[in-house]
Amino acid sequence: RYPEYCAYGLLVYVVGDYGKIIQSLTQGTSWVEQQTRIRWDFNQDNQFILNTITMRGVHGLNSNSVFVVGDKGTILRTTDGGSVWVSLNSATTKDLYSVHFTSNTTGMVVGQGGIILKTTNAGKSWRVK
């Protein structure tokens, strides 16, 4: 499976393995890795390790507001073009595969086992459908 991406003019976001989110401001000529808190984790010996979460879906409402979903119920959102990514409560630990918004407030996420999540408040809360 190829990495997921979304684009707005010159701005492109791509997501993939190890919690990676990368951004291009030049339509893919150059790339910058986004800093998220889920990129690193601790193992059972409390050693700092690379996280195994795969980010699987990305959808942007505009160039500033972008949602990313991935393994273990991970949903991240930026409202400032990727400077800060905030983890949102998905109400599940299942792997999430895709995210899509039909308006600025209403969005759906699909994932493992056919789970469907819905928000009507721009991701502040998610309900299992």
Side-chain angles (χ1 to χ4, degrees):
R1 178 180 159 142
Y2 294 99
E4 289 286 322
Y5 74 93
C6 69
Y8 295 93
L10 297 176
L11 179 65
V12 182
Y13 286 94
V14 177
V15 298
D17 293 343
Y18 303 107
K20 197 172 272 192
I21 304 170
I22 57 174
Q23 177 193 62
S24 174
L25 300 174
T26 59
Q27 260 184 341
T29 303
S30 61
W31 295 91
V32 175
E33 184 174 339
Q34 301 292 284
Q35 299 303 313
T36 66
R37 293 189 179 125
I38 66 147
R39 184 92 167 90
W40 298 96
D41 204 352
F42 293 94
N43 67 11
Q44 66 270 13
D45 297 323
N46 211 28
Q47 297 170 321
F48 206 46
I49 59 169
L50 192 61
N51 202 321
T52 58
I53 288 178
T54 296
M55 304 312 289
R56 300 180 184 273
V58 57
H59 181 83
L61 299 176
N62 53 53
S63 61
N64 288 319
S65 187
V66 178
F67 289 84
V68 173
V69 299
D71 292 352
K72 301 178 184 174
T74 301
I75 302 178
L76 301 179
R77 179 183 184 186
T78 184
T79 57
D80 59 8
S83 295
V84 176
W85 291 88
V86 176
S87 182
L88 304 175
N89 184 354
S90 68
T92 186
T93 57
K94 293 186 177 187
D95 293 349
L96 303 176
Y97 302 140
S98 186
V99 56
H100 182 76
F101 276 72
T102 57
S103 71
N104 285 338
T105 57
T106 303
M108 305 286 276
V109 171
V110 295
Q112 182 180 25
I115 192 167
I116 299 172
L117 306 176
K118 182 177 182 180
T119 183
T120 55
N121 58 11
K124 292 182 180 115
S125 62
W126 296 86
R127 292 186 322 274
V128 177
K129 294 299 289 175

